[in-house]
Short mmCIF file of all heavy atoms in Angstrom, two decimals:
data_model
loop_
_atom_site.label_atom_id
_atom_site.label_comp_id
_atom_site.label_asym_id
_atom_site.label_seq_id
_atom_site.Cartn_x
_atom_site.Cartn_y
_atom_site.Cartn_z
N ASP A 1070 -46.74 56.58 -70.72
CA ASP A 1070 -48.06 56.46 -70.12
C ASP A 1070 -48.89 57.72 -70.29
O ASP A 1070 -50.07 57.74 -69.98
CB ASP A 1070 -47.93 56.18 -68.61
CG ASP A 1070 -47.42 54.77 -68.34
OD1 ASP A 1070 -47.28 54.02 -69.32
OD2 ASP A 1070 -47.17 54.45 -67.17
N GLY A 1071 -48.29 58.80 -70.76
CA GLY A 1071 -49.00 60.07 -70.85
C GLY A 1071 -49.21 60.50 -72.28
O GLY A 1071 -48.44 60.17 -73.19
N TYR A 1072 -50.29 61.27 -72.51
CA TYR A 1072 -50.60 61.76 -73.85
C TYR A 1072 -49.58 62.78 -74.31
O TYR A 1072 -49.31 62.91 -75.50
CB TYR A 1072 -52.01 62.38 -73.84
CG TYR A 1072 -52.38 63.11 -75.10
CD1 TYR A 1072 -52.80 62.42 -76.23
CD2 TYR A 1072 -52.31 64.50 -75.18
CE1 TYR A 1072 -53.14 63.08 -77.39
CE2 TYR A 1072 -52.64 65.17 -76.33
CZ TYR A 1072 -53.07 64.46 -77.43
OH TYR A 1072 -53.40 65.13 -78.58
N TYR A 1165 -47.94 69.67 -70.23
CA TYR A 1165 -49.15 69.05 -69.71
C TYR A 1165 -48.90 67.62 -69.27
O TYR A 1165 -49.80 66.95 -68.80
CB TYR A 1165 -50.27 69.08 -70.74
CG TYR A 1165 -50.93 70.43 -70.86
CD1 TYR A 1165 -50.48 71.50 -70.11
CD2 TYR A 1165 -51.99 70.63 -71.72
CE1 TYR A 1165 -51.07 72.75 -70.23
CE2 TYR A 1165 -52.59 71.89 -71.85
CZ TYR A 1165 -52.12 72.93 -71.10
OH TYR A 1165 -52.70 74.16 -71.22
N ILE A 1168 -47.31 65.49 -64.77
CA ILE A 1168 -47.74 64.57 -63.73
C ILE A 1168 -47.66 63.14 -64.23
O ILE A 1168 -47.87 62.85 -65.40
CB ILE A 1168 -49.18 64.88 -63.26
CG1 ILE A 1168 -49.61 63.90 -62.17
CG2 ILE A 1168 -50.15 64.84 -64.42
CD1 ILE A 1168 -50.95 64.23 -61.56
N VAL A 1170 -48.60 59.05 -62.73
CA VAL A 1170 -49.03 58.11 -61.70
C VAL A 1170 -48.64 56.72 -62.19
O VAL A 1170 -49.12 56.26 -63.22
CB VAL A 1170 -50.55 58.17 -61.45
CG1 VAL A 1170 -50.95 57.16 -60.40
CG2 VAL A 1170 -50.95 59.58 -61.03
N SER A 1173 -50.41 52.40 -64.20
CA SER A 1173 -51.65 52.84 -64.81
C SER A 1173 -52.29 53.93 -63.97
O SER A 1173 -51.73 55.00 -63.83
CB SER A 1173 -52.58 51.63 -64.99
OG SER A 1173 -53.71 51.98 -65.73
N CYS A 1174 -53.46 53.67 -63.38
CA CYS A 1174 -54.19 54.72 -62.67
C CYS A 1174 -54.11 54.59 -61.16
O CYS A 1174 -54.97 55.11 -60.45
CB CYS A 1174 -55.65 54.74 -63.13
SG CYS A 1174 -55.89 55.57 -64.71
N ASN A 1200 -58.17 64.15 -56.83
CA ASN A 1200 -59.11 64.25 -57.94
C ASN A 1200 -58.50 64.98 -59.12
O ASN A 1200 -58.72 64.63 -60.28
CB ASN A 1200 -60.40 64.93 -57.50
CG ASN A 1200 -61.35 63.98 -56.80
OD1 ASN A 1200 -61.55 62.85 -57.25
ND2 ASN A 1200 -61.94 64.40 -55.70
N VAL A 1201 -57.73 66.04 -58.84
CA VAL A 1201 -57.06 66.77 -59.92
C VAL A 1201 -56.05 65.87 -60.60
O VAL A 1201 -55.95 65.82 -61.84
CB VAL A 1201 -56.40 68.05 -59.37
CG1 VAL A 1201 -55.58 68.73 -60.47
CG2 VAL A 1201 -57.43 69.00 -58.80
N ALA A 1202 -55.27 65.13 -59.80
CA ALA A 1202 -54.25 64.25 -60.37
C ALA A 1202 -54.88 63.18 -61.25
O ALA A 1202 -54.42 62.92 -62.37
CB ALA A 1202 -53.45 63.60 -59.24
N CYS A 1203 -55.95 62.55 -60.77
CA CYS A 1203 -56.61 61.49 -61.56
C CYS A 1203 -57.22 62.05 -62.83
O CYS A 1203 -57.12 61.45 -63.91
CB CYS A 1203 -57.68 60.80 -60.72
SG CYS A 1203 -57.03 59.79 -59.36
N ARG A 1204 -57.86 63.21 -62.72
CA ARG A 1204 -58.46 63.83 -63.91
C ARG A 1204 -57.39 64.22 -64.92
O ARG A 1204 -57.56 64.04 -66.12
CB ARG A 1204 -59.28 65.06 -63.49
CG ARG A 1204 -60.01 65.72 -64.65
CD ARG A 1204 -61.04 66.70 -64.17
NE ARG A 1204 -60.50 67.73 -63.31
CZ ARG A 1204 -60.78 67.88 -62.02
NH1 ARG A 1204 -61.59 67.04 -61.42
NH2 ARG A 1204 -60.25 68.87 -61.33
N GLN A 1205 -56.26 64.75 -64.45
CA GLN A 1205 -55.18 65.15 -65.35
C GLN A 1205 -54.62 63.95 -66.10
O GLN A 1205 -54.20 64.06 -67.25
CB GLN A 1205 -54.08 65.86 -64.56
CG GLN A 1205 -52.96 66.43 -65.43
CD GLN A 1205 -51.96 67.23 -64.62
OE1 GLN A 1205 -52.18 67.51 -63.44
NE2 GLN A 1205 -50.86 67.59 -65.24
N MET A 1206 -54.60 62.79 -65.47
CA MET A 1206 -54.10 61.57 -66.10
C MET A 1206 -55.16 60.89 -66.97
O MET A 1206 -54.88 59.90 -67.62
CB MET A 1206 -53.64 60.58 -65.02
CG MET A 1206 -52.36 60.97 -64.33
SD MET A 1206 -50.92 60.86 -65.39
CE MET A 1206 -50.88 59.11 -65.71
N GLY A 1207 -56.40 61.45 -66.99
CA GLY A 1207 -57.46 60.81 -67.75
C GLY A 1207 -57.95 59.54 -67.09
O GLY A 1207 -58.33 58.57 -67.77
N CYS A 1208 -57.95 59.50 -65.75
CA CYS A 1208 -58.26 58.28 -65.01
C CYS A 1208 -59.56 58.38 -64.22
O CYS A 1208 -59.78 57.56 -63.31
CB CYS A 1208 -57.12 57.97 -64.05
SG CYS A 1208 -55.58 57.47 -64.87
N GLY A 1209 -60.42 59.37 -64.50
CA GLY A 1209 -61.64 59.50 -63.75
C GLY A 1209 -61.39 60.08 -62.37
O GLY A 1209 -60.29 60.54 -62.06
N PRO A 1210 -62.39 60.07 -61.48
CA PRO A 1210 -62.22 60.61 -60.13
C PRO A 1210 -61.30 59.71 -59.29
O PRO A 1210 -61.07 58.55 -59.61
CB PRO A 1210 -63.64 60.61 -59.56
CG PRO A 1210 -64.55 60.35 -60.71
CD PRO A 1210 -63.76 59.62 -61.73
N SER A 1234 -57.58 71.85 -63.60
CA SER A 1234 -57.35 70.87 -64.65
C SER A 1234 -55.98 70.22 -64.54
O SER A 1234 -55.72 69.19 -65.15
CB SER A 1234 -57.49 71.52 -66.03
OG SER A 1234 -58.78 72.04 -66.21
N CYS A 1257 -57.17 55.81 -58.53
CA CYS A 1257 -58.22 56.42 -59.36
C CYS A 1257 -59.23 55.34 -59.74
O CYS A 1257 -58.94 54.14 -59.70
CB CYS A 1257 -57.63 57.05 -60.61
SG CYS A 1257 -56.25 58.20 -60.31
N THR A 1258 -60.40 55.78 -60.14
CA THR A 1258 -61.49 54.82 -60.39
C THR A 1258 -61.46 54.21 -61.78
O THR A 1258 -62.09 53.18 -62.01
CB THR A 1258 -62.85 55.51 -60.20
OG1 THR A 1258 -62.91 56.67 -61.04
CG2 THR A 1258 -63.06 55.91 -58.76
N GLY A 1259 -60.78 54.83 -62.73
CA GLY A 1259 -60.86 54.35 -64.10
C GLY A 1259 -59.51 54.03 -64.71
O GLY A 1259 -58.46 54.18 -64.08
N TYR A 1260 -59.54 53.56 -65.95
CA TYR A 1260 -58.33 53.36 -66.73
C TYR A 1260 -58.04 54.64 -67.51
O TYR A 1260 -58.96 55.36 -67.90
CB TYR A 1260 -58.51 52.19 -67.70
CG TYR A 1260 -58.58 50.84 -67.03
CD1 TYR A 1260 -59.80 50.29 -66.67
CD2 TYR A 1260 -57.42 50.13 -66.75
CE1 TYR A 1260 -59.87 49.05 -66.04
CE2 TYR A 1260 -57.47 48.90 -66.12
CZ TYR A 1260 -58.70 48.36 -65.77
OH TYR A 1260 -58.76 47.15 -65.14
N PRO A 1261 -56.77 54.94 -67.78
CA PRO A 1261 -56.45 56.16 -68.53
C PRO A 1261 -57.08 56.15 -69.92
O PRO A 1261 -57.12 55.12 -70.59
CB PRO A 1261 -54.92 56.14 -68.62
CG PRO A 1261 -54.48 55.21 -67.56
CD PRO A 1261 -55.57 54.20 -67.41
N VAL A 1262 -57.56 57.31 -70.33
CA VAL A 1262 -58.12 57.50 -71.67
C VAL A 1262 -57.43 58.69 -72.30
O VAL A 1262 -57.09 59.67 -71.62
CB VAL A 1262 -59.65 57.74 -71.61
CG1 VAL A 1262 -60.19 58.19 -72.95
CG2 VAL A 1262 -60.37 56.47 -71.18
N ARG A 1263 -57.20 58.63 -73.60
CA ARG A 1263 -56.64 59.78 -74.33
C ARG A 1263 -57.32 59.88 -75.68
O ARG A 1263 -57.94 58.92 -76.16
CB ARG A 1263 -55.14 59.65 -74.51
CG ARG A 1263 -54.71 58.52 -75.45
CD ARG A 1263 -53.20 58.44 -75.58
NE ARG A 1263 -52.78 57.37 -76.51
CZ ARG A 1263 -51.52 57.05 -76.73
NH1 ARG A 1263 -50.54 57.69 -76.11
NH2 ARG A 1263 -51.21 56.08 -77.59
N LEU A 1264 -57.21 61.04 -76.29
CA LEU A 1264 -57.71 61.27 -77.64
C LEU A 1264 -56.53 61.60 -78.54
O LEU A 1264 -55.77 62.54 -78.26
CB LEU A 1264 -58.74 62.41 -77.66
CG LEU A 1264 -60.01 62.15 -76.84
CD1 LEU A 1264 -60.93 63.36 -76.89
CD2 LEU A 1264 -60.74 60.91 -77.34
N ARG A 1269 -55.94 67.89 -77.72
CA ARG A 1269 -56.12 67.03 -76.56
C ARG A 1269 -57.56 66.61 -76.38
O ARG A 1269 -57.85 65.57 -75.78
CB ARG A 1269 -55.65 67.80 -75.30
CG ARG A 1269 -55.63 66.99 -74.03
CD ARG A 1269 -55.19 67.85 -72.87
NE ARG A 1269 -56.18 68.84 -72.50
CZ ARG A 1269 -57.17 68.63 -71.64
NH1 ARG A 1269 -57.30 67.46 -71.07
NH2 ARG A 1269 -58.02 69.59 -71.35
N GLU A 1275 -58.52 56.21 -77.19
CA GLU A 1275 -57.63 55.13 -76.81
C GLU A 1275 -57.66 54.95 -75.30
O GLU A 1275 -57.76 55.93 -74.55
CB GLU A 1275 -56.20 55.39 -77.29
CG GLU A 1275 -56.09 55.44 -78.82
CD GLU A 1275 -54.65 55.37 -79.31
OE1 GLU A 1275 -53.73 55.45 -78.48
OE2 GLU A 1275 -54.46 55.26 -80.54
N ILE A 1276 -57.61 53.72 -74.86
CA ILE A 1276 -57.66 53.38 -73.43
C ILE A 1276 -56.41 52.58 -73.08
O ILE A 1276 -55.93 51.78 -73.88
CB ILE A 1276 -58.96 52.61 -73.10
CG1 ILE A 1276 -59.14 52.43 -71.60
CG2 ILE A 1276 -59.02 51.29 -73.84
CD1 ILE A 1276 -60.53 51.95 -71.20
N TYR A 1277 -55.88 52.85 -71.88
CA TYR A 1277 -54.63 52.21 -71.44
C TYR A 1277 -54.96 51.03 -70.54
O TYR A 1277 -55.56 51.17 -69.48
CB TYR A 1277 -53.78 53.22 -70.69
CG TYR A 1277 -52.36 52.77 -70.43
CD1 TYR A 1277 -51.43 52.73 -71.46
CD2 TYR A 1277 -51.94 52.41 -69.15
CE1 TYR A 1277 -50.12 52.34 -71.23
CE2 TYR A 1277 -50.64 52.02 -68.91
CZ TYR A 1277 -49.73 51.98 -69.96
OH TYR A 1277 -48.43 51.59 -69.72
N TRP A 1282 -51.55 51.02 -74.85
CA TRP A 1282 -52.66 51.82 -75.37
C TRP A 1282 -53.34 51.05 -76.49
O TRP A 1282 -52.67 50.49 -77.38
CB TRP A 1282 -52.16 53.16 -75.92
CG TRP A 1282 -51.78 54.14 -74.85
CD1 TRP A 1282 -50.52 54.45 -74.43
CD2 TRP A 1282 -52.67 54.94 -74.07
NE1 TRP A 1282 -50.58 55.40 -73.43
CE2 TRP A 1282 -51.87 55.72 -73.19
CE3 TRP A 1282 -54.06 55.07 -74.02
CZ2 TRP A 1282 -52.42 56.61 -72.28
CZ3 TRP A 1282 -54.61 55.96 -73.12
CH2 TRP A 1282 -53.80 56.71 -72.25
N VAL A 1297 -69.04 60.74 -71.90
CA VAL A 1297 -68.25 60.23 -70.78
C VAL A 1297 -66.77 60.48 -70.98
O VAL A 1297 -66.05 60.88 -70.05
CB VAL A 1297 -68.54 58.72 -70.58
CG1 VAL A 1297 -67.63 58.14 -69.50
CG2 VAL A 1297 -69.99 58.51 -70.20
N VAL A 1298 -66.29 60.27 -72.20
CA VAL A 1298 -64.88 60.53 -72.51
C VAL A 1298 -64.56 62.02 -72.30
O VAL A 1298 -63.55 62.37 -71.69
CB VAL A 1298 -64.55 60.10 -73.94
CG1 VAL A 1298 -63.13 60.52 -74.32
CG2 VAL A 1298 -64.70 58.58 -74.09
N CYS A 1299 -65.41 62.90 -72.84
CA CYS A 1299 -65.17 64.34 -72.69
C CYS A 1299 -65.15 64.75 -71.23
O CYS A 1299 -64.30 65.53 -70.80
CB CYS A 1299 -66.24 65.14 -73.44
SG CYS A 1299 -66.18 64.95 -75.24
N SER A 1300 -66.07 64.21 -70.44
CA SER A 1300 -66.12 64.53 -69.01
C SER A 1300 -64.89 64.00 -68.29
O SER A 1300 -64.30 64.68 -67.44
CB SER A 1300 -67.38 63.95 -68.38
OG SER A 1300 -68.55 64.50 -68.96
N GLN A 1301 -64.49 62.77 -68.61
CA GLN A 1301 -63.34 62.16 -67.96
C GLN A 1301 -62.07 62.97 -68.21
O GLN A 1301 -61.22 63.09 -67.32
CB GLN A 1301 -63.16 60.73 -68.45
CG GLN A 1301 -61.99 59.99 -67.81
CD GLN A 1301 -61.96 58.52 -68.19
OE1 GLN A 1301 -62.93 57.97 -68.71
NE2 GLN A 1301 -60.84 57.86 -67.92
N LEU A 1302 -61.94 63.54 -69.39
CA LEU A 1302 -60.74 64.30 -69.75
C LEU A 1302 -60.86 65.77 -69.42
O LEU A 1302 -59.93 66.54 -69.68
CB LEU A 1302 -60.45 64.13 -71.24
CG LEU A 1302 -60.05 62.72 -71.68
CD1 LEU A 1302 -59.94 62.65 -73.20
CD2 LEU A 1302 -58.74 62.31 -71.04
N GLY A 1303 -61.99 66.20 -68.85
CA GLY A 1303 -62.17 67.62 -68.56
C GLY A 1303 -62.26 68.46 -69.82
O GLY A 1303 -61.77 69.59 -69.86
N THR A 1335 -68.54 58.45 -64.68
CA THR A 1335 -67.39 59.33 -64.46
C THR A 1335 -66.16 58.90 -65.26
O THR A 1335 -65.22 59.67 -65.38
CB THR A 1335 -67.02 59.36 -62.97
OG1 THR A 1335 -66.78 58.02 -62.51
CG2 THR A 1335 -68.13 59.99 -62.14
N HIS A 1336 -66.18 57.70 -65.80
CA HIS A 1336 -65.05 57.24 -66.61
C HIS A 1336 -65.53 56.14 -67.56
O HIS A 1336 -66.52 55.45 -67.29
CB HIS A 1336 -63.91 56.73 -65.74
CG HIS A 1336 -64.32 55.70 -64.73
ND1 HIS A 1336 -64.29 54.35 -64.98
CD2 HIS A 1336 -64.78 55.83 -63.47
CE1 HIS A 1336 -64.70 53.69 -63.91
NE2 HIS A 1336 -65.01 54.56 -62.98
N LEU A 1337 -64.84 56.00 -68.68
CA LEU A 1337 -65.28 55.10 -69.74
C LEU A 1337 -65.31 53.65 -69.27
O LEU A 1337 -66.20 52.89 -69.66
CB LEU A 1337 -64.36 55.24 -70.96
CG LEU A 1337 -64.79 54.50 -72.22
CD1 LEU A 1337 -66.12 55.05 -72.74
CD2 LEU A 1337 -63.72 54.62 -73.30
N SER A 1338 -64.34 53.26 -68.44
CA SER A 1338 -64.31 51.86 -68.00
C SER A 1338 -65.43 51.55 -67.02
O SER A 1338 -65.63 50.38 -66.67
CB SER A 1338 -62.95 51.53 -67.37
OG SER A 1338 -62.63 52.45 -66.35
#
Side-chain angles (χ1 to χ4, degrees):
D1070 289 355
Y1072 171 79
Y1165 283 2
I1168 180 174
V1170 179
S1173 188
C1174 281
N1200 278 316
V1201 175
C1203 290
R1204 183 166 57 246
Q1205 185 175 350
M1206 288 291 296
C1208 292
S1234 299
C1257 308
T1258 55
Y1260 290 92
V1262 169
R1263 68 181 181 184
L1264 297 178
R1269 186 182 70 88
E1275 296 193 351
I1276 188 168
Y1277 192 74
W1282 286 102
V1297 174
V1298 173
C1299 293
S1300 298
Q1301 181 172 346
L1302 294 174
T1335 56
H1336 53 91
L1337 188 64
S1338 53

